[in-house]
Amino acid sequence: MSRVKVAVLGATGSVGQRFIQLLDNHPYFEVTHLCASENSAGKTYGDVMKSRWKISSDIPAYAKNIVITTPDPSKTSGAALAFSGLDASIAGEVESAYANAGIHIISNSKNHRMDPKVPLLSAEVNASHLEVLDSQTTKGKIITNSNCTIMGVTITLKPLFDRFGIESVMLFSMQAISGAGYPGVPSMDILGNVVPHIGGEEEKAEIEPLKCLGRVENGKIVHADFPISAHCNRVPVFDGHTVCVSVKFKQKPSREEVLSAWKNFSGEPQSLALPSAPNPAILYREEEDRPQPRLDLNTGNGMTTVVGRLRPDPILDWKYVVLSHNTIRGAAGAALLNAELLYKKNFLG
């Protein structure tokens, strides 16, 4: 198959920059359009980003001379797919316009996540949810990925949910400042501090895993049926969301059974050998003080979910710690993996 022409919406933002980095020389996709606000439109990406590029590697050469347009499907002619890193304030309307124009959308924004006809896709977890795309009436289809905080959490819960059933979950997040976008959290608020509130985050953490772990009935996604209690905190770490998770099971497994479930977990991305698929999907660290963002964040090119500190929970059954890269596995990388799955399964025509 020839490479699919794609657009990146919100190309100047932190997630947009990750999309541009990860799409460099991609075997399935060719970036032909970069879209941002009117302030950037009409200028080349290289000129706009001279002082705004915040990723350690250089701006990919392919992107520098692309002239930025506003995110309008009439201005991205020829693109069959758009990756959206748009702010939620405009994402819903713009993404719907693209779908109506026949352009598929892979969205990192929250606007369409809870639509029962839109997959909240975590490629290893719920590839079967793609069947609800037939229920969308637009020619172009909308696929979303979950909130970055619960991406790694949901991946670790999936094999446990399938094997042992889950009665309840409690989680405590320690979220990196890059999750707030650029320029993020003011330094006087976050340095030497912990902020115990992130607007709307706890609500997402309590509902989105249930949709990801749900089932399809009559063309709609029905949520999994167990409660989640979430405490979400912003901490002075640049990249990497760490989450402490406690789980009550329907059938309590042994420690060896939990570790085996994680070790043997894989999904369609691994069986299809997709370019962005991590192998392993989940890596358990035996050290008593791991995972740590400084040491483990880039495991599997930032796509592997790293777990550690599995131990008995005196109130529930088992507790453990999850680390995932919030702008790669939790955002652009997850969206790219979803797009690779669509490509390989011939959803992109």
Side-chain angles (χ1 to χ4, degrees), residues 15-53:
V15 174
Q17 292 179 38
R18 281 292 185 193
F19 277 129
I20 289 164
Q21 178 197 39
L22 296 174
L23 286 162
D24 189 17
N25 293 314
H26 196 280
Y28 298 172
F29 306 116
E30 176 189 3
V31 179
T32 55
H33 299 82
L34 299 177
C35 305
S37 69
E38 291 183 356
N39 293 333
S40 300
K43 305 171 186 175
T44 66
Y45 190 77
D47 285 342
V48 169
M49 300 304 292
K50 282 179 181 177
S51 61
R52 296 172 64 181
W53 185 258

Side-chain angles (χ1 to χ4, degrees), residues 141-220:
K141 308 303 180 183
I142 300 175
I143 299 94
T144 65
N145 54 279
S146 73
N147 174 270
C148 54
T149 309
I150 63 93
M151 181 69 70
V153 174
T154 305
I155 290 170
T156 64
L157 290 177
K158 171 63 174 176
L160 307 181
F161 179 68
D162 286 350
R163 292 194 186 193
F164 314 114
I166 291 176
E167 287 191 3
S168 60
V169 172
M170 180 168 282
L171 62 88
F172 302 82
S173 74
M174 293 166 279
Q175 297 176 222
I177 57 174
S178 59
Y182 186 83
V185 184
S187 61
M188 291 184 68
D189 289 339
I190 196 63
L191 290 178
N193 197 24
V194 173
V195 181
H197 175 259
I198 305 171
E201 202 78 357
E202 291 174 352
E203 293 83 355
K204 293 180 224 176
E206 291 176 348
I207 191 68
E208 290 187 15
L210 302 180
K211 184 177 181 182
C212 291
L213 295 170
R215 63 190 186 279
V216 177
E217 289 185 2
N218 301 318
K220 296 182 179 181

Side-chain angles (χ1 to χ4, degrees), residues 55-107:
I55 295 175
S56 57
S57 60
D58 291 338
I59 301 173
Y62 81 85
K64 290 182 178 180
N65 294 322
I66 296 179
V67 177
I68 296 172
T69 66
T70 54
D72 182 329
S74 67
K75 297 177 181 179
T76 54
S77 176
L81 173 69
F83 293 98
S84 176
L86 293 170
D87 186 85
S89 61
I90 62 170
E93 182 178 348
V94 172
E95 290 168 2
S96 293
Y98 270 80
N100 286 325
I103 299 173
H104 299 299
I105 285 284
I106 307 287
S107 175

Side-chain angles (χ1 to χ4, degrees), residues 113-131:
R113 285 178 184 163
M114 288 299 106
D115 186 328
K117 296 181 180 180
V118 173
L120 185 61
L121 191 63
S122 180
E124 290 95 344
V125 171
N126 57 348
S128 63
H129 288 191
L130 289 174
E131 66 182 83

